[in-house]
Amino acid sequence: MEFSETFDVVVVGGGNAGFSAATTAAQAGARVLLIEKAPRHDAGGNTYFTAAAFRCCFDGLDDLLPYLYQPDGTKGLPQDLIDKIEMAPYTKADFHADLNRVTKGRADPALAKVLVDESRKAVQWLMDNGARFMLSFNRQSFLTDGKYRFWGGMVMNMIGQGKGLYQWHLELAERSGVTVRFNCAAVDLVTDPNTNAVLGVKVYSNGKFRTIKAKGGVILACGGFQASPALRAKYLGPGWDLAHVRGTKYNVGDGHKMAESIGAMLEGHYSGCHSVAWDANSPRNCGDRVLTNQFTKSGYPLGIMVNVDGRRFVDEGFDLRNFTYAVFGREILKQPQGIAFQIWDAVGAKWLRKEEYADDVTTNIRADSLEELADVLVTRGLNNKKQFLETIEEFNTACRAFQEEQTHRVFDPAVRDGMSTQGKTRSLSLPKSNWAMPLERGPFQAVEVTCGITFTFGGLATTPDAEVLSEVTRKPIEGLWCAGEILGGLFYNNYPGGSGLTMGVIMGRAAGQGAARRARRLSEIGSGIKYEQC
């Protein structure tokens, strides 16, 4: 096999995981090429569209303070702000419990251990290389009684969110000596016909097909298949071809196809995905590079959601938002026409995040009474005004009955407050388990939402060191690693918010280290250096 050029390591995909792999390999002394299918102006993968929130274990606020920035880039937080922060430690036991709960115990134990145990180190690597993190005041805290009370275990995001994370990765990689090529699509993996070891990759760029040798190996970090309507319908089921795509349009299963063609083992929840309540007026086939994550509509715990028939269809308060938002997109897609309405009164609406619900971000529907709100929603697709009003009246009655019985309960959006619809004298067949407050004070507000798919859960089987396994031998395929959303076996049904980016860094770094080490070992063997067991 003749190759047009040679690198120590070739990384396929230019998002968080791919750049983590490429930079790590380069920092280990490897000559690295990262190829990205998208043109430069449209690059960044799904990373670009995220809030750049990372979940990791930490020992409380004091553990994080030395590394935190203010939104304007100033290092450190003022003491008067620090004094207002309430933040519990997030332990390994907490992380394991959250992951086990939301995946219903299905997460691969070895991958789960890697995610939890290496989470803090992964974020520290980002920080040590210049990533600037800020506390997620808007996303992960509520200001109550003069205190910013953080909840849900995920407390930080990078300044600039996904756009900032991608730009930081790109600049760090280039400073580290990584060669980055855009408009360069991976087509096939090149393998040894006798051993099936991966030797390199065939690419298409500038109107030509070429083969590039990767002495240490190839790292697949080119995402899942959420942007392919055909693969969504094939694996996720009927109707999924109609879901809106939250992020990049380039994640169409390229890595899955290439790896499967050389016998890689498939793993994970292929009929599952990360999908959210998403603005119904968003673009259908890819994310918006200006608004990016702002089309998320995560304010449902503060109100209710109803379908076009005027009926509730989920328990909006069964858990904290960052443990539920990734599954509610699926539930919305199941509804008639695949849309729903989020509803609040004036009390709930005041807690909504402006970055998601400001009038220049979404179409807010407001009215002074529920009757008037229903009339407007009829023009937006509500089929049954009478049922809509009955649903809210039944909900309100159940909320009031519960509050009369349990007067000690207090609404608190920062914890699972137990404010429920399930009283002794009155309860609903579909409960709201927390934050259940009657919708009774105008003006009332509604937003139309649909399903926005983020990434798919089915992927490739790997070792904890990111080595891709063979379906035939059940052992690692020499010279092949993967990281990011192409990884299978970790997330089932749901995921703890912020853990995807963290795992991308962890497995990306493991892959980069492994490929660089293999390149170095093969080069030394080729130069005649001998090794002895000791």
Side-chain angles (χ1 to χ4, degrees):
M1 168 66 71
E2 292 187 3
F3 293 93
S4 59
E5 56 186 328
T6 299
F7 288 84
D8 292 328
V9 178
V10 176
V11 179
V12 181
N16 173 64
F19 274 110
S20 295
T23 297
T24 297
Q27 289 175 340
R31 184 166 175 258
V32 182
L33 171 66
L34 183 148
I35 59 175
E36 167 56 48
K37 183 179 183 179
R40 188 178 187 116
H41 71 269
D42 208 16
N46 269 351
T47 296
Y48 187 92
F49 298 89
T50 69
F54 286 79
R55 180 177 294 270
C56 71
C57 301
F58 61 95
D59 295 327
L61 181 60
D62 288 343
D63 181 22
L64 305 177
L65 279 176
Y67 310 102
L68 294 175
Y69 289 77
Q70 298 177 45
D72 64 1
T74 302
K75 180 71 178 292
L77 304 184
Q79 189 60 47
D80 61 338
L81 178 59
I82 294 172
D83 293 340
K84 295 179 181 178
I85 296 172
E86 289 186 2
M87 181 185 296
Y90 191 62
T91 67
K92 290 183 179 181
D94 293 331
F95 202 160
H96 274 296
D98 287 337
L99 181 63
N100 186 65
R101 184 179 72 257
V102 301
T103 64
K104 303 185 187 302
R106 294 189 175 99
D108 179 277
L111 295 179
K113 187 176 189 304
V114 168
L115 169 60
V116 173
D117 289 354
E118 299 297 319
S119 63
R120 184 67 178 84
K121 294 178 186 177
V123 171
Q124 192 63 50
W125 177 77
L126 297 170
M127 293 173 169
D128 290 346
N129 280 279
R132 296 185 298 174
F133 280 82
M134 57 180 282
L135 292 179
S136 303
F137 286 101
N138 291 337
R139 295 181 60 83
Q140 295 297 138
S141 78
F142 287 104
L143 180 60
T144 58
D145 299 325
K147 295 285 188 179
Y148 288 100
R149 303 177 63 200
F150 280 81
W151 52 272
M154 183 182 69
V155 300
M156 297 184 298
N157 65 274
M158 271 193 64
I159 291 177
Q161 300 195 9
K163 300 174 187 177
L165 174 58
Y166 165 66
Q167 190 61 37
W168 173 83
H169 266 307
L170 177 60
E171 293 174 0
L172 176 63
E174 291 176 337
R175 289 199 306 272
S176 300
V178 176
T179 300
V180 181
R181 292 180 185 165
F182 299 98
N183 266 322
C184 187
V187 178
D188 284 310
L189 294 169
V190 180
T191 61
D192 184 304
N194 297 314
T195 66
N196 202 41
V198 173
L199 305 177
V201 63
K202 181 180 180 181
V203 304
Y204 179 75
S205 180
N206 296 322
K208 296 179 180 179
F209 291 96
R210 293 182 299 143
T211 53
I212 301 172
K213 184 175 182 178
K215 291 194 293 184
V218 174
I219 301 169
L220 297 176
C222 43
F225 54 85
Q226 86 284 342
S228 168
L231 292 181
R232 292 201 308 267
K234 176 180 178 180
Y235 288 109
L236 303 182
W240 276 99
D241 47 340
L242 303 178
H244 287 212
V245 176
R246 292 183 65 196
T248 179
K249 61 188 175 186
Y250 298 99
N251 286 6
V252 292
D254 294 340
H256 297 67
K257 297 170 188 175
M258 288 187 288
E260 188 177 12
S261 72
I262 66 164
M265 183 189 304
L266 305 184
E267 183 65 83
H269 190 189
Y270 265 82
S271 61
C273 67
H274 179 300
S275 60
V276 306
W278 194 245
D279 198 304
N281 297 309
S282 63
R284 290 183 177 272
N285 299 317
C286 63
D288 183 298
R289 291 184 71 85
V290 176
L291 292 178
T292 63
N293 193 54
Q294 290 179 262
F295 280 132
T296 302
K297 296 293 170 276
S298 61
Y300 54 82
L302 305 166
I304 64 172
M305 285 198 291
V306 299
N307 59 25
V308 295
D309 293 329
R311 299 182 185 276
R312 291 176 58 242
F313 54 93
V314 294
D315 178 349
E316 301 91 345
F318 81 84
D319 205 339
L320 295 167
R321 186 266 306 163
N322 55 12
F323 301 121
T324 64
Y325 81 111
V327 297
F328 278 174
R330 175 183 290 271
E331 298 306 315
I332 293 170
L333 192 65
K334 292 177 182 177
Q335 304 310 305
Q337 301 177 35
I339 63 170
F341 299 103
Q342 296 179 344
I343 312 293
W344 308 270
D345 74 348
V347 176
K350 72 178 183 180
W351 294 98
L352 296 176
R353 292 165 51 205
K354 291 182 180 179
E355 64 186 84
E356 294 182 4
Y357 291 99
D359 288 337
D360 60 349
V361 174
T362 191
T363 301
N364 285 295
I365 303 165
R366 297 186 178 91
D368 291 330
S369 70
L370 288 169
E371 180 88 20
E372 292 171 318
L373 184 68
D375 287 336
V376 178
L377 293 181
V378 166
T379 68
R380 302 300 297 268
L382 178 66
N383 293 329
N384 194 328
K385 173 183 174 181
K386 180 175 180 291
Q387 181 60 60
F388 171 80
L389 294 173
E390 288 178 356
T391 294
I392 295 179
E393 180 55 35
E394 291 171 0
F395 176 81
N396 287 349
T397 301
C399 290
R400 296 187 194 105
F402 181 89
Q403 292 174 13
E404 290 172 1
E405 294 172 14
Q406 301 204 27
T407 57
H408 65 284
R409 296 280 185 183
V410 178
F411 173 79
D412 187 344
V415 298
R416 301 175 187 88
D417 64 3
M419 290 288 283
S420 170
T421 56
Q422 306 308 97
K424 295 179 181 179
T425 60
R426 180 66 71 97
S427 63
L428 301 178
S429 58
L430 176 59
K432 185 176 182 182
S433 301
N434 294 282
W435 315 295
M437 300 290 287
L439 308 179
E440 54 190 6
R441 290 181 54 185
F444 299 90
Q445 181 174 334
V447 166
E448 183 182 353
V449 293
T450 187
C451 171
I453 183 169
T454 315
F455 67 93
T456 44
F457 290 158
L460 305 181
T462 73
T463 69
D465 293 321
E467 303 159 299
V468 176
L469 297 176
S470 165
E471 178 69 42
V472 175
T473 68
R474 302 297 169 116
K475 296 179 180 179
I477 298 173
E478 282 290 316
L480 185 62
W481 288 262
C482 82
E485 293 168 2
I486 193 174
L487 174 72
L490 180 60
F491 302 131
Y492 289 79
N493 301 300
N494 195 356
Y495 97 139
S499 53
L501 285 174
T502 303
M503 193 59 164
V505 174
I506 293 169
M507 296 300 269
R509 283 182 43 72
Q513 290 165 349
R517 186 165 51 245
R518 184 170 183 266
R520 185 167 58 249
R521 177 173 59 83
L522 293 178
S523 294
E524 290 171 346
I525 291 173
S527 66
I529 297 176
K530 296 181 180 180
Y531 292 86
E532 295 181 357
Q533 295 291 334
C534 61

